[in-house]
Short mmCIF file of all heavy atoms in Angstrom, two decimals:
data_model
loop_
_atom_site.label_atom_id
_atom_site.label_comp_id
_atom_site.label_asym_id
_atom_site.label_seq_id
_atom_site.Cartn_x
_atom_site.Cartn_y
_atom_site.Cartn_z
N PRO A 1 -164.24 233.49 98.23
CA PRO A 1 -163.26 234.17 97.38
C PRO A 1 -162.56 233.24 96.39
O PRO A 1 -162.08 233.69 95.35
CB PRO A 1 -162.26 234.77 98.38
CG PRO A 1 -162.49 234.04 99.66
CD PRO A 1 -163.92 233.59 99.65
N GLY A 2 -162.52 231.93 96.69
CA GLY A 2 -161.88 230.98 95.78
C GLY A 2 -162.77 230.53 94.64
O GLY A 2 -162.34 229.79 93.76
N ASN A 3 -164.03 230.98 94.64
CA ASN A 3 -164.95 230.65 93.55
C ASN A 3 -164.93 231.79 92.54
O ASN A 3 -165.13 232.95 92.89
CB ASN A 3 -166.37 230.44 94.07
CG ASN A 3 -167.36 230.24 92.93
OD1 ASN A 3 -167.89 231.20 92.39
ND2 ASN A 3 -167.58 229.01 92.57
N HIS A 4 -164.70 231.47 91.27
CA HIS A 4 -164.63 232.49 90.22
C HIS A 4 -165.85 232.48 89.30
O HIS A 4 -166.04 233.41 88.52
CB HIS A 4 -163.36 232.30 89.39
CG HIS A 4 -162.12 232.41 90.20
ND1 HIS A 4 -161.79 233.52 90.94
CD2 HIS A 4 -161.10 231.53 90.41
CE1 HIS A 4 -160.63 233.33 91.55
NE2 HIS A 4 -160.20 232.12 91.25
N LEU A 5 -166.66 231.43 89.37
CA LEU A 5 -167.85 231.33 88.53
C LEU A 5 -168.82 230.36 89.18
O LEU A 5 -168.42 229.28 89.61
CB LEU A 5 -167.48 230.82 87.13
CG LEU A 5 -168.64 230.66 86.14
CD1 LEU A 5 -169.13 232.02 85.66
CD2 LEU A 5 -168.21 229.81 84.95
N TYR A 6 -170.08 230.78 89.26
CA TYR A 6 -171.13 229.90 89.79
C TYR A 6 -172.42 230.34 89.13
O TYR A 6 -173.11 231.23 89.62
CB TYR A 6 -171.21 230.03 91.32
CG TYR A 6 -171.88 228.85 91.99
CD1 TYR A 6 -171.16 227.71 92.31
CD2 TYR A 6 -173.23 228.88 92.30
CE1 TYR A 6 -171.75 226.62 92.93
CE2 TYR A 6 -173.84 227.80 92.93
CZ TYR A 6 -173.10 226.68 93.24
OH TYR A 6 -173.69 225.60 93.86
N GLN A 7 -172.70 229.76 87.98
CA GLN A 7 -173.81 230.23 87.15
C GLN A 7 -174.82 229.12 86.90
O GLN A 7 -174.45 228.03 86.44
CB GLN A 7 -173.29 230.73 85.80
CG GLN A 7 -172.45 231.98 85.90
CD GLN A 7 -173.26 233.20 86.31
OE1 GLN A 7 -174.37 233.40 85.86
NE2 GLN A 7 -172.71 234.01 87.17
N LEU A 8 -176.08 229.41 87.17
CA LEU A 8 -177.17 228.49 86.84
C LEU A 8 -177.56 228.71 85.39
O LEU A 8 -177.81 229.84 84.97
CB LEU A 8 -178.37 228.75 87.76
CG LEU A 8 -179.61 227.90 87.49
CD1 LEU A 8 -179.31 226.42 87.67
CD2 LEU A 8 -180.76 228.34 88.37
N CYS A 9 -177.61 227.63 84.63
CA CYS A 9 -177.94 227.68 83.20
C CYS A 9 -179.06 226.68 82.92
O CYS A 9 -179.29 225.75 83.70
CB CYS A 9 -176.72 227.33 82.36
SG CYS A 9 -175.25 228.31 82.74
N LYS A 10 -179.73 226.86 81.78
CA LYS A 10 -180.79 225.93 81.38
C LYS A 10 -180.68 225.70 79.88
O LYS A 10 -180.55 226.66 79.11
CB LYS A 10 -182.15 226.51 81.75
CG LYS A 10 -183.31 225.55 81.55
CD LYS A 10 -184.56 225.94 82.33
CE LYS A 10 -185.22 227.19 81.87
NZ LYS A 10 -186.57 227.38 82.45
N ASP A 11 -180.73 224.44 79.47
CA ASP A 11 -180.63 224.13 78.04
C ASP A 11 -182.00 224.24 77.36
O ASP A 11 -183.01 224.53 78.01
CB ASP A 11 -179.95 222.78 77.80
CG ASP A 11 -180.77 221.58 78.24
OD1 ASP A 11 -182.00 221.70 78.44
OD2 ASP A 11 -180.18 220.48 78.37
N ALA A 12 -182.02 224.00 76.06
CA ALA A 12 -183.24 224.15 75.27
C ALA A 12 -184.35 223.20 75.71
O ALA A 12 -185.53 223.50 75.51
CB ALA A 12 -182.93 223.94 73.78
N GLU A 13 -183.98 222.08 76.33
CA GLU A 13 -184.98 221.12 76.80
C GLU A 13 -185.45 221.41 78.22
O GLU A 13 -186.27 220.68 78.77
CB GLU A 13 -184.43 219.69 76.74
CG GLU A 13 -184.33 219.12 75.33
CD GLU A 13 -183.12 219.64 74.58
OE1 GLU A 13 -182.03 219.69 75.18
OE2 GLU A 13 -183.27 220.02 73.42
N GLY A 14 -184.91 222.45 78.84
CA GLY A 14 -185.31 222.81 80.20
C GLY A 14 -184.52 222.15 81.30
O GLY A 14 -184.90 222.21 82.46
N ASN A 15 -183.39 221.51 80.94
CA ASN A 15 -182.53 220.87 81.94
C ASN A 15 -181.58 221.89 82.54
O ASN A 15 -181.03 222.73 81.83
CB ASN A 15 -181.72 219.74 81.29
CG ASN A 15 -182.62 218.69 80.69
OD1 ASN A 15 -183.45 218.11 81.37
ND2 ASN A 15 -182.47 218.44 79.40
N TYR A 16 -181.40 221.80 83.85
CA TYR A 16 -180.54 222.75 84.56
C TYR A 16 -179.11 222.25 84.69
O TYR A 16 -178.87 221.08 84.94
CB TYR A 16 -181.09 223.01 85.96
CG TYR A 16 -182.38 223.77 85.96
CD1 TYR A 16 -183.60 223.10 86.07
CD2 TYR A 16 -182.40 225.15 85.84
CE1 TYR A 16 -184.80 223.80 86.08
CE2 TYR A 16 -183.59 225.86 85.84
CZ TYR A 16 -184.79 225.18 85.97
OH TYR A 16 -185.97 225.87 85.96
N VAL A 17 -178.18 223.20 84.53
CA VAL A 17 -176.75 222.93 84.68
C VAL A 17 -176.15 224.09 85.48
O VAL A 17 -176.50 225.25 85.24
CB VAL A 17 -176.05 222.82 83.30
CG1 VAL A 17 -174.55 222.68 83.46
CG2 VAL A 17 -176.62 221.68 82.49
N VAL A 18 -175.26 223.76 86.41
CA VAL A 18 -174.51 224.80 87.10
C VAL A 18 -173.07 224.70 86.61
O VAL A 18 -172.46 223.63 86.64
CB VAL A 18 -174.57 224.65 88.63
CG1 VAL A 18 -173.74 225.74 89.30
CG2 VAL A 18 -176.01 224.72 89.11
N MET A 19 -172.55 225.84 86.13
CA MET A 19 -171.16 225.93 85.70
C MET A 19 -170.38 226.60 86.83
O MET A 19 -170.75 227.68 87.28
CB MET A 19 -171.06 226.73 84.41
CG MET A 19 -171.78 226.05 83.25
SD MET A 19 -171.89 227.05 81.75
CE MET A 19 -170.21 227.48 81.47
N GLU A 20 -169.30 225.93 87.29
CA GLU A 20 -168.56 226.39 88.44
C GLU A 20 -167.06 226.43 88.12
O GLU A 20 -166.57 225.60 87.36
CB GLU A 20 -168.77 225.46 89.63
CG GLU A 20 -170.24 225.21 89.94
CD GLU A 20 -170.46 224.15 91.00
OE1 GLU A 20 -169.64 224.06 91.96
OE2 GLU A 20 -171.44 223.39 90.89
N LEU A 21 -166.37 227.39 88.73
CA LEU A 21 -164.93 227.51 88.53
C LEU A 21 -164.29 227.89 89.87
O LEU A 21 -164.75 228.83 90.53
CB LEU A 21 -164.63 228.58 87.48
CG LEU A 21 -163.19 228.75 87.03
CD1 LEU A 21 -162.66 227.48 86.36
CD2 LEU A 21 -163.08 229.93 86.07
N TYR A 22 -163.26 227.15 90.26
CA TYR A 22 -162.61 227.34 91.56
C TYR A 22 -161.11 227.55 91.39
O TYR A 22 -160.50 226.98 90.49
CB TYR A 22 -162.85 226.12 92.46
CG TYR A 22 -164.31 225.93 92.76
CD1 TYR A 22 -165.11 225.13 91.94
CD2 TYR A 22 -164.90 226.57 93.84
CE1 TYR A 22 -166.46 224.99 92.20
CE2 TYR A 22 -166.25 226.43 94.11
CZ TYR A 22 -167.03 225.63 93.29
OH TYR A 22 -168.37 225.49 93.54
N ALA A 23 -160.54 228.34 92.28
CA ALA A 23 -159.11 228.66 92.22
C ALA A 23 -158.25 227.42 92.36
O ALA A 23 -157.20 227.31 91.73
CB ALA A 23 -158.76 229.68 93.31
N ASP A 24 -158.71 226.47 93.19
CA ASP A 24 -157.93 225.27 93.45
C ASP A 24 -158.80 224.24 94.18
O ASP A 24 -159.97 224.51 94.47
CB ASP A 24 -156.66 225.59 94.24
CG ASP A 24 -156.94 226.41 95.49
OD1 ASP A 24 -158.04 226.26 96.09
OD2 ASP A 24 -156.07 227.20 95.89
N ALA A 25 -158.22 223.10 94.49
CA ALA A 25 -158.95 222.03 95.16
C ALA A 25 -159.45 222.47 96.54
O ALA A 25 -160.53 222.08 96.97
CB ALA A 25 -158.07 220.79 95.29
N GLU A 26 -158.66 223.31 97.22
CA GLU A 26 -159.06 223.79 98.54
C GLU A 26 -160.32 224.65 98.45
O GLU A 26 -161.20 224.58 99.31
CB GLU A 26 -157.92 224.57 99.20
CG GLU A 26 -156.75 223.71 99.62
CD GLU A 26 -155.83 223.29 98.47
OE1 GLU A 26 -155.84 223.95 97.40
OE2 GLU A 26 -155.13 222.28 98.64
N ALA A 27 -160.42 225.47 97.42
CA ALA A 27 -161.60 226.32 97.24
C ALA A 27 -162.84 225.47 96.95
O ALA A 27 -163.93 225.77 97.45
CB ALA A 27 -161.36 227.32 96.11
N LEU A 28 -162.67 224.41 96.17
CA LEU A 28 -163.78 223.51 95.88
C LEU A 28 -164.21 222.78 97.16
O LEU A 28 -165.41 222.66 97.44
CB LEU A 28 -163.40 222.52 94.79
CG LEU A 28 -164.45 221.46 94.43
CD1 LEU A 28 -165.78 222.08 94.05
CD2 LEU A 28 -163.92 220.58 93.31
N GLU A 29 -163.24 222.36 97.94
CA GLU A 29 -163.56 221.68 99.20
C GLU A 29 -164.28 222.64 100.16
O GLU A 29 -165.25 222.26 100.82
CB GLU A 29 -162.27 221.15 99.84
CG GLU A 29 -162.52 220.34 101.09
CD GLU A 29 -161.23 219.78 101.70
OE1 GLU A 29 -160.21 219.74 101.01
OE2 GLU A 29 -161.29 219.38 102.88
N ALA A 30 -163.83 223.87 100.22
CA ALA A 30 -164.46 224.88 101.09
C ALA A 30 -165.91 225.11 100.67
O ALA A 30 -166.78 225.31 101.52
CB ALA A 30 -163.67 226.18 101.05
N HIS A 31 -166.17 225.07 99.38
CA HIS A 31 -167.55 225.24 98.88
C HIS A 31 -168.45 224.15 99.45
O HIS A 31 -169.52 224.43 99.98
CB HIS A 31 -167.56 225.21 97.35
CG HIS A 31 -168.93 225.12 96.77
ND1 HIS A 31 -169.84 226.14 96.87
CD2 HIS A 31 -169.55 224.12 96.08
CE1 HIS A 31 -170.97 225.78 96.27
NE2 HIS A 31 -170.81 224.56 95.79
N GLY A 32 -168.00 222.91 99.35
CA GLY A 32 -168.80 221.79 99.83
C GLY A 32 -169.03 221.79 101.33
O GLY A 32 -170.02 221.25 101.81
N LYS A 33 -168.12 222.42 102.07
CA LYS A 33 -168.23 222.45 103.53
C LYS A 33 -168.92 223.72 104.03
O LYS A 33 -169.15 223.85 105.24
CB LYS A 33 -166.83 222.36 104.15
CG LYS A 33 -166.18 221.02 103.96
CD LYS A 33 -164.81 220.98 104.62
CE LYS A 33 -164.19 219.60 104.54
NZ LYS A 33 -162.85 219.55 105.13
N SER A 34 -169.22 224.66 103.15
CA SER A 34 -169.78 225.95 103.58
C SER A 34 -171.18 225.78 104.16
O SER A 34 -171.94 224.90 103.76
CB SER A 34 -169.81 226.92 102.39
OG SER A 34 -170.77 226.50 101.43
N GLU A 35 -171.49 226.66 105.10
CA GLU A 35 -172.81 226.61 105.74
C GLU A 35 -173.92 226.87 104.74
O GLU A 35 -174.98 226.24 104.78
CB GLU A 35 -172.88 227.61 106.90
CG GLU A 35 -172.06 227.19 108.10
CD GLU A 35 -172.41 225.81 108.62
OE1 GLU A 35 -173.61 225.50 108.77
OE2 GLU A 35 -171.48 225.01 108.88
N HIS A 36 -173.71 227.81 103.81
CA HIS A 36 -174.77 228.13 102.84
C HIS A 36 -175.01 226.95 101.89
O HIS A 36 -176.15 226.71 101.50
CB HIS A 36 -174.48 229.43 102.07
CG HIS A 36 -173.11 229.51 101.48
ND1 HIS A 36 -172.06 230.11 102.13
CD2 HIS A 36 -172.61 229.05 100.32
CE1 HIS A 36 -170.97 230.04 101.37
NE2 HIS A 36 -171.29 229.40 100.27
#
């Protein structure tokens, strides 16, 4: 619930980027610790 954006993107050269947005530091920490 603390994640507001998690999008896989690809640039013109085929390089992958993930754009992520979190409510706060706790939400980002929870992401890194999640089982998935």
Side-chain angles (χ1 to χ4, degrees):
N3 174 273
H4 300 302
L5 179 73
Y6 201 85
Q7 293 291 319
L8 177 62
C9 307
K10 187 161 67 168
D11 69 17
E13 286 79 44
N15 300 303
Y16 291 98
V17 174
V18 179
M19 296 172 54
E20 308 173 36
L21 187 62
Y22 297 91
D24 51 31
E26 290 77 21
L28 177 56
E29 185 178 343
H31 169 67
K33 291 181 175 178
S34 68
E35 288 305 314
H36 49 266

